[in-house]
Amino acid sequence: MGAAQAQQIVPLPAHLQRNAGEFALTAGTRIVADEGAQAEAQMLRDYLRQATGFALPVDRRDGTNAIRLKLDASLRSLGKEGYRLVSDAGGVNITAAEPAGLFYGVQTLRQMLPADIYRKAPLRRGWQLPAVSIEDQPRFGWRGSHLDTARHFMPKSFVLKHIELLAQNKMNVFHWHLTDDQGWRIEIKRFPLLTQVGAWRSETQLTPRPGDPPGLRYDGQPHGGYYTQEDVREVVAYAAARHITVVPEIEMPGHALAAIAAYPELGNRPDKKLPVGREWGVITQVFSPEEHTVRFLQQVMDEVLTLFPGQYIHVGGDECPKTEWAHAPAALARMKALKLVPASTTLEDIQNYKDGQGKPAEHPALHQLQSWFIGQMGTYLAQKGRRLIGWEEILEGGLVSGATVMSWRGEEGGLNAAKAGYDVVMAPERDTYLDYAQLPADTPGYREPLGARVVNTLDHVYAYEPLPASMPPELARHVLGSQAQLWTEYMQGPREVEYMAWPRLLAMAEVLWTPKPLKDYANFQQRLPSSLQRLEAQDVNYRTADGPHWPR
C-alpha cells in the first residue's frame, strides 16, 4: 500500500503526483455529492459496501472524513470523461465536468485501495489509499471490446460481468456481435423464427488437431441460446449506468445463414431449406439483394432501435461472397434496375468477367450491389437519427454517406476511409484480435485453443498504435479510437473467453486511455500484478504467466 499503491492504476493516468500521507476509509466515512453526482455517489457506495461492510451515507452536507464527488464546469478542458482526484488524510475529492468523469475518478479510487475491495463479502481489514493529486482524461473517445456471442452463446450473467470489467478499466464501448451464420441471438418479436430456428444449430465443428484425418469433425451436440428483449434492455441499462455504449451488430448481407435457415425467402435459393451453420469460416449463403429482404431487415432494425439507444448500429458488411448473386436471376435483375450493368448483360457475363489484365475476377457490379444494399440500411438508419458502422468491406463499391468504417484487415481500409472524410474505428486483426494465441504453440505449458493459429502477445497488444504512422496529422481527427475483438469459434464458454481476454484487454485499455508519451511496457508490467489481483478477487479466469488456466 502507501507509496507503491499509487502506482498500481491501469490505465496509467495522464498526470499523477504522490503526496505525503494516506486516507483511511472507515465506517465513519461519508460520501458527499451534489445533485448532478448522485448516481455516481450511489454506485460508489454500492461498490465499497460489498467488501468493507460499511453502509456509507450519501448526502450533501460536507465535513471531514469524506469522499466528495462534484461536477465542476471549469474542468471542461478535460472533456466529458476527464476528472481530477485529490486525496489526503482528510478525505478524497473527485471533480469532473460531467458524470462520466466522476465515474472514471471512482474507478481510479477503487484501484488505489487494496485488491480485496473488489470482493463480494465483508472482510476484516484496513482500507487505506495514498494521498495523491491526479488529473486525467482519455486519449481516444472510442475504447471498446467486441464480443462474439453468435458462434458460441454466452449467458447474460457473463455479458454483465464482462461489461463491469470493461468499466473498471475505463473502456466505454461494448460491441455486441449478435448474429452470424452459426446463430441468431436476439429476440425479434415480429419474426419469431429467427430465434426459434436461427438460435440453434445441430452440432459444432470441432477444433482441428494436428494429425486429424482430412475432413471436418463435429461434436454431435446441439448448441444455442438467445437474449430476450428484456435481457437486452437489462444489459443496455447496466452498461449505461457504467457509461458504456452498447453497439449491436446485425450482420448483412453475408454471415446470414442462421436468418436464412429461419426464413428461406431471405436467401438466393428460397426453394431450398438450409440448416443453421455448423462450420466456421466464410459460408457462401448470403441475403438476397431484393427489396423484400431489405424491408425485412429494416423491420428487424425497427425493434433493434427500440432496444439500443446509442448512436451507432453495426451492420457487419464483411466477408460477403458474391457467388450466389453471380448465379441469381433476381440479383441480375436488381443490378439492371440500378443500372449497374447494361440491360443486355447475362448471368454468364457476370460469372465470366475478367479484369483489365484478362484474369478472372468478381464483376464490379457485384460490389456496387453490396454498396446499394448497405446504402439502403444507411439511409434507413439516418432517417431514424442513427449512424451506420460496418467492417471495412462496406468501402467496396462506394460508401454510404455518414457511415463509419471499422478497419480490420490492416490499416489501409482505415486510411482510405479517413482520406475520404469518413470516421474510423481501427481494429486491425494482427494487433487487436484476442482470439489469436497469446504464446507460440511450442511454448512450454502451452494452453491456447488449437484454433488460434496466429500469435498476439501481451507486449504486442501494448505496442499497438491506433494512429497509423502513414496517416497525415490532419486526418487523425477521423480516428475515433480502437477496440479489441473476441471471436468465439474456439471459445465454448465464459472461462475460455476470460482466458483469452485478460490481461490483454488491460493492455488495450492503456493503449486507448493513456497519453502516448507515457506508454512504457516495463512500467505497465510493474503495475500489472495489482490488476491481476483485482481480476482474481472477481473470479476472472485470466491467463497467468505460465498459462495454467485454459479449461480442458
Side-chain angles (χ1 to χ4, degrees):
M1 206 181 310
Q5 194 68 30
Q7 309 298 324
Q8 305 311 312
I9 304 168
V10 174
L12 184 68
H15 303 280
L16 184 154
Q17 177 181 314
R18 175 68 169 99
N19 301 321
E22 56 187 24
F23 170 70
L25 177 69
T26 68
T29 301
R30 294 163 49 248
I31 299 175
V32 178
D34 60 19
E35 183 177 357
Q38 286 295 308
E40 276 60 47
Q42 299 288 346
M43 184 165 286
L44 172 60
R45 179 199 62 190
D46 294 343
Y47 277 143
L48 298 178
R49 175 184 292 172
Q50 295 184 81
T52 66
F54 302 154
L56 305 183
V58 176
D59 59 39
R60 301 183 187 181
R61 295 178 296 107
D62 206 345
T64 58
N65 190 15
I67 302 173
R68 306 171 190 89
L69 276 63
K70 182 178 178 60
L71 292 177
D72 185 348
S74 70
L75 296 180
R76 293 201 179 280
S77 61
L78 296 179
K80 68 179 183 179
E81 297 179 307
Y83 66 94
R84 183 176 292 157
L85 187 155
V86 178
S87 59
D88 57 28
V92 182
N93 294 291
I94 301 175
T95 51
E98 297 193 25
L102 293 179
F103 178 81
Y104 292 127
V106 164
Q107 300 312 315
T108 296
L109 181 154
R110 296 174 75 197
Q111 288 197 15
M112 289 194 297
L113 289 165
D116 283 341
I117 198 68
Y118 291 85
R119 296 192 180 276
K120 302 293 187 186
L123 300 172
R124 291 187 177 182
R125 61 161 302 159
W127 304 100
Q128 290 81 29
L129 59 85
V132 296
S133 298
I134 295 174
E135 190 166 283
D136 200 11
Q137 66 185 119
R139 183 183 177 201
F140 291 100
W142 186 297
R143 307 181 302 279
S145 169
H146 155 286
L147 177 63
D148 169 18
T149 58
R151 271 49 176 272
H152 277 102
F153 177 73
M154 300 292 156
K156 181 188 65 178
S157 58
F158 172 68
V159 174
L160 296 174
K161 180 182 180 184
H162 187 69
I163 288 172
E164 168 62 25
L165 292 169
L166 297 179
Q168 291 172 15
N169 294 285
K170 302 185 176 73
M171 307 284 269
N172 68 351
V173 175
F174 174 55
H175 174 178
W176 200 358
H177 188 82
L178 287 163
T179 74
D180 216 294
D181 294 306
Q182 298 83 13
W184 183 284
R185 306 292 180 215
I186 178 171
E187 177 189 26
I188 303 298
K189 294 185 183 295
R190 183 166 186 164
F191 303 114
L193 295 183
L194 286 173
T195 47
Q196 290 176 15
V197 174
W200 310 93
R201 61 176 179 262
S202 62
E203 57 185 352
T204 300
Q205 177 187 333
L206 289 171
T207 306
R209 296 184 174 88
D212 279 354
L216 298 179
R217 299 167 58 244
Y218 302 90
D219 63 5
Q221 300 295 318
H223 177 83
Y226 65 92
Y227 307 99
T228 68
Q229 293 198 359
E230 288 306 309
D231 289 335
V232 172
R233 290 189 181 95
E234 180 183 352
V235 168
V236 170
Y238 186 88
R242 289 154 178 77
H243 299 278
I244 289 178
T245 298
V246 182
V247 177
E249 182 174 0
I250 309 297
E251 276 273 13
M252 62 187 77
H255 290 287
L257 181 53
I260 295 170
Y263 293 95
E265 62 270 24
L266 300 176
N268 297 280
R269 289 284 307 276
D271 58 323
K272 187 176 182 181
K273 180 67 174 174
L274 297 167
V276 174
R278 58 187 188 135
E279 293 89 22
W280 310 133
V282 177
I283 292 178
T284 58
Q285 284 80 25
V286 302
F287 286 128
S288 71
E290 299 180 71
E291 291 282 3
H292 73 85
T293 303
V294 172
R295 188 164 58 251
F296 179 99
L297 290 169
Q298 290 175 345
Q299 290 168 339
V300 167
M301 286 294 185
D302 286 341
E303 296 190 30
V304 169
L305 296 185
T306 67
L307 301 171
F308 297 93
Q311 181 181 19
Y312 293 94
I313 304 295
H314 205 299
V315 299
D318 61 311
E319 297 180 326
C320 178
K322 312 298 192 298
T323 307
E324 285 195 332
W325 288 358
H327 290 80
L332 179 61
R334 174 60 52 194
M335 287 186 277
K336 290 181 178 180
L338 295 172
K339 296 182 169 51
L340 303 180
V341 295
S344 60
T345 302
T346 66
L347 284 174
E348 287 74 19
D349 295 330
I350 300 295
Q351 297 160 16
N352 298 324
Y353 176 78
K354 293 180 173 59
D355 63 19
Q357 297 179 340
K359 297 180 180 179
E362 284 189 336
H363 197 289
L366 294 171
H367 296 290
Q368 294 167 348
L369 186 58
Q370 176 169 336
S371 181
W372 169 83
F373 195 111
I374 296 296
Q376 296 298 295
M377 301 306 297
T379 299
Y380 161 85
L381 291 172
Q383 291 171 347
K384 303 288 186 178
R386 307 299 185 92
R387 291 185 65 181
L388 179 148
I389 185 170
W391 301 107
E392 68 186 68
E393 287 93 327
I394 64 174
L395 288 165
E396 298 170 358
L399 189 55
V400 60
S401 177
T404 299
V405 174
M406 193 166 277
S407 183
W408 72 275
R409 293 181 295 188
E411 296 179 335
E412 185 177 359
L415 284 167
N416 291 338
K419 289 175 183 176
Y422 294 97
D423 287 342
V424 178
V425 175
M426 300 299 288
E429 58 179 328
R430 182 62 188 85
D431 305 290
T432 71
Y433 276 33
L434 302 189
D435 53 312
Y436 287 174
Q438 300 177 73
L439 290 172
D442 59 358
T443 303
Y446 181 80
R447 291 291 187 275
E448 307 298 283
L450 292 173
R453 300 300 185 188
V454 180
V455 178
N456 188 13
T457 59
L458 179 66
D459 62 319
H460 186 90
V461 174
Y462 191 87
Y464 173 57
E465 170 50 46
L467 292 179
S470 57
M471 175 172 282
E474 65 271 16
L475 297 182
R477 62 187 175 87
H478 286 297
V479 178
L480 304 180
S482 182
Q483 63 179 40
Q485 278 56 243
L486 285 161
W487 299 105
T488 62
E489 286 92 337
Y490 301 109
M491 304 178 209
Q492 296 181 6
R495 303 300 279 177
E496 289 91 340
V497 173
E498 289 181 346
Y499 179 93
M500 300 303 287
W502 306 99
R504 288 185 294 181
L505 266 178
L506 296 171
M508 180 60 71
E510 186 145 310
V511 165
L512 299 174
W513 181 279
T514 300
K516 184 179 178 181
L518 295 184
K519 281 182 58 184
D520 182 298
Y521 186 65
N523 180 268
F524 172 75
Q525 285 183 304
Q526 291 176 2
R527 288 176 285 118
L528 184 60
S530 292
S531 287
L532 298 182
Q533 288 173 16
R534 294 190 282 270
L535 294 177
E536 190 162 330
Q538 297 174 86
D539 190 32
V540 176
N541 189 49
Y542 65 89
R543 188 194 190 283
T544 61
D546 58 357
H549 295 319
W550 175 251
R552 293 192 181 272

